[in-house]
Amino acid sequence: QVQLVESGGGLVQAGGSLALSCAASGPTSSNYGLGWFRQVPGKEREFVAAMSRILGTTYYATAVQGRFTISRDNAKNTVYLQMNSLKPEDTAVYFCTAKYSGLCFAADACESWGQGTQVTVYS
C-alpha cells in the first residue's frame, strides 16, 4: 500500500492559478503511477490528469487540457498539478490517486486515495 498526502489548494479568482502537490510514502511507493481526480458534491469523481512513472507520459481530461500541467519528481515520490486559467467549474475537491505499476483513469481502478484538498474558484 501507499500513503498519499496532498497539499495546496485554496481560494482563487477565475483566471488565476493554484498548485497542488502529493507526496507518496511507503516501502513500494516508487512503483506506483500517480494522478489526480476531482469531485463536486452530488457527482462522481472524475479523472483530471495522470503521469506515467517511467516514461513520463502525461494524460489529461479534455476539460483541463492546455490549462493544467502534471509533473512528477521521482526522487521525492511526489506528483504536482499546476492549474492555470482556472474557471469556476474547476471548483471541486481534488484527490491524489495511485495505482501499482500503472495509471488509473477510472475511479474504481485507483488503489489508493489522498484525503482530498478543496479548490474553489470564484468569478
Side-chain angles (χ1 to χ4, degrees), residues 60-120:
Y60 297 96
T62 301
V64 306
Q65 181 79 44
R67 301 186 298 119
F68 290 13
T69 302
I70 188 171
S71 60
R72 178 169 182 162
D73 185 337
N74 285 338
K76 297 181 179 179
N77 286 335
T78 299
V79 65
Y80 307 93
L81 186 67
Q82 177 65 43
M83 304 181 292
N84 298 329
S85 301
L86 282 161
K87 304 175 181 180
E89 51 263 44
D90 294 318
T91 296
V93 177
Y94 284 70
F95 296 90
C96 180
T97 62
K99 179 179 174 64
Y100 188 80
S101 293
L103 298 173
C104 54
F105 300 98
D108 57 4
C110 301
E111 297 167 353
S112 296
W113 293 80
Q115 78 281 5
T117 185
Q118 178 70 46
V119 171
T120 302

Side-chain angles (χ1 to χ4, degrees), residues 1-3 25-32 77:
Q1 272 288 7
V2 63
Q3 291 75 48
S25 62
T28 60
S29 59
S30 63
N31 294 325
Y32 282 78
N77 286 335

